[in-house]
Amino acid sequence: MTTLRLLIAAPASGKTALCQKNVARFGEVYSLDVARAQLGRHAHDHTVSDAAVAAVHTEIDETLADGLDVTLDATSTVAEHRARWLGLAAQHGARPVALVLRVDLALILQRNAARARPVPADVVERMWHEVQHLTIPALRAEGFTEVTELDGFGRPLR
């Protein structure tokens, strides 16, 4: 059975680094930041977010149709956004897995400030709070068959 893995985390939590460290087991990795950079001016160009989501949706759809595992490198902090990807997993009979990065806010803000194009701190904090309020039972109720919580270095919390 194929797997569609969603990362759920605030900006600067280490999502991309986690994908890079786990390239062999994460299958094909698609990033909304990369798609925005390709379609717009840079990775945080939200004027092209709809087009980036559509492009990544098509790529993931095709990859799952080919029977390959997929990981989505995106914040995925909003339930309606996760629902789009859960629907795609269901369409292909793929196992939906959530990887929730629980990272200290101070570390995230430090990492974010060091970026060439930092995300506004209030946005980072809002998204961090969204992640903190997520529970394993709530994510399972959304449709995830497996939920794993990781620290800021990709280590399981439990």
Side-chain angles (χ1 to χ4, degrees):
M1 172 182 274
T2 57
T3 297
L4 174 56
R5 196 175 282 102
L6 260 66
L7 301 182
I8 303 173
S13 293
K15 297 177 300 298
T16 301
L18 180 66
C19 289
Q20 291 168 344
K21 288 178 190 171
N22 290 281
V23 69
R25 75 180 183 102
F26 276 14
E28 297 295 321
V29 176
Y30 296 99
S31 166
L32 288 181
D33 284 348
V34 169
R36 278 193 288 273
Q38 291 170 341
L39 297 168
R41 295 172 310 201
H42 51 75
H44 304 295
D45 184 353
H46 288 277
T47 65
V48 296
S49 284
D50 289 344
V53 169
V56 169
H57 188 278
T58 298
E59 291 174 328
I60 290 176
D61 185 30
E62 292 171 356
T63 302
L64 289 173
D66 289 342
L68 301 173
D69 291 345
V70 173
T71 298
L72 177 62
D73 178 357
T75 55
S76 305
T77 62
V78 178
E80 70 182 69
H81 298 166
R82 292 189 297 272
R84 170 193 317 258
W85 307 110
L86 285 165
L88 198 52
Q91 178 184 330
H92 289 281
R95 181 174 64 112
V97 172
L99 298 180
V100 183
L101 278 70
R102 305 257 186 218
V103 184
D104 181 71
L105 180 58
L107 177 58
I108 289 174
L109 291 171
Q110 179 184 15
R111 288 176 177 173
N112 184 58
R115 290 177 159 183
R117 290 187 182 276
V119 175
D122 63 314
V123 173
V124 173
E125 289 182 32
R126 176 182 49 80
M127 294 176 90
W128 181 85
H129 283 288
E130 291 169 350
V131 173
Q132 299 317 302
H133 288 104
L134 289 174
T135 65
I136 292 174
L139 289 167
R140 286 193 181 274
E142 286 181 22
F144 289 98
T145 59
E146 181 182 326
V147 179
T148 302
E149 295 177 305
L150 306 169
D151 69 12
F153 302 97
R155 299 177 300 225
L157 292 176
R158 300 188 205 307

